[in-house]
Amino acid sequence: MKTALVTGASSGFGEAIAEMLSKHNYNLILTARRGDRLSALKSKIEAESDVQVHTLVFDIQSNAETEKAFNSLPVKFQSIDLLVNNAGLAAGMDTFDTGKIEDWDAMIDTNVKGLLYISRLVTPWMVERKSGQIINIGSIAGRQVYPKGNVYCATKFAVEALTQAMRIDLLPHGIKVSSVSPGSAETEFSLVRFGDADKAKAVYNGYKPLNANDIAETVEFIITRPCHVNIGDILITPVAQGDTMNWFKG
Ligand code: NDP
Ligand code: 8X3
């Protein structure tokens, strides 16, 4: 049985990816800050499958917390075959000149530094075993900046750069590195971004957004390719979304 570590598994894409991976018989290490959500998901997956789930509750913005949680992994979960770097957020949506420093810090510390912290811990184990696979959840916002997207877009451009960097540096060790770049998907993303349920709902008015399963199925495609095939990046959007600024809404 293989083992996968999924960050941000307490909701949205991460939760759906964890469920999908359980159907492919991966034992799972699931991480997030909301331990109650992770415990409920662990119970559900273990009741529905034969896989074992280990939860790690920590704030990925803190390298100290990330290291402490990682170093607590039981030996049987230490052979990580697949790392899904999914934890992330957008905080606020302001013009550059009015942006809030605490929002910028939260996005940079989670989407960029958090991804780095956990990847720096997992990759030496993959290098030692000369195998492994990493899937970074980027965004269409990592390809094209949009008004008021500024720092969120910058963090996702960074994820794209780090995906390329990991692929190059880990190439000699047989480690596959991919990214998935979704457009608009209805998860808790907009609620977290705006902190307001009505504002969050309005983001999805007039068109059918992606859902978490669409992203889990995209990850499923990547992990089920033959050994010699690496998928570099998949851009996936709702049909109504042409790019970050062009929409056809009913
Ligand atoms: P959700 O808000 O539903 O999920 C985000 C996940 O990240 C949660 O499990 C959350 O867990 C975790 N997370 C956030 N901050 C931290 C932290 N400091 N420490 C640990 N875990 C954290 O959003 P999505 O599922 O939509 O987002 C997942 C990824 O997809 C993000 O990287 C996002 O940028 C990206 N994305 C989303 C799109 C969308 O339209 N929804 C489109 C393109 C990309 P907890 O709060 O419990 O810690
Ligand atoms: C999330 C998609 O368009 O809100 O990465 O930036 S968008």
Side-chain angles (χ1 to χ4, degrees), residues 19-73:
E19 293 217 44
M20 178 277 295
L21 291 173
S22 72
K23 298 193 173 74
H24 287 272
N25 284 322
Y26 278 85
N27 285 326
L28 294 167
I29 303 159
L30 304 181
T31 88
R33 291 164 301 183
R34 287 172 292 180
D36 54 338
R37 295 273 197 106
L38 292 182
S39 299
L41 184 58
K42 170 180 161 73
S43 302
K44 182 167 187 275
I45 289 174
E46 287 183 339
E48 289 171 353
S49 68
D50 291 331
V51 312
Q52 292 184 308
V53 180
H54 188 82
T55 62
L56 293 177
V57 180
F58 65 94
D59 185 342
I60 206 163
Q61 296 176 86
S62 157
N63 189 40
E65 276 195 40
T66 306
E67 272 187 354
K68 191 171 168 216
F70 191 76
N71 290 335
S72 75
L73 275 177

Side-chain angles (χ1 to χ4, degrees), residues 74-91:
V75 174
K76 67 179 171 189
F77 284 94
Q78 290 184 2
S79 281
I80 297 173
D81 301 283
L82 170 66
L83 167 64
V84 183
N85 279 315
N86 165 74
L89 82 163

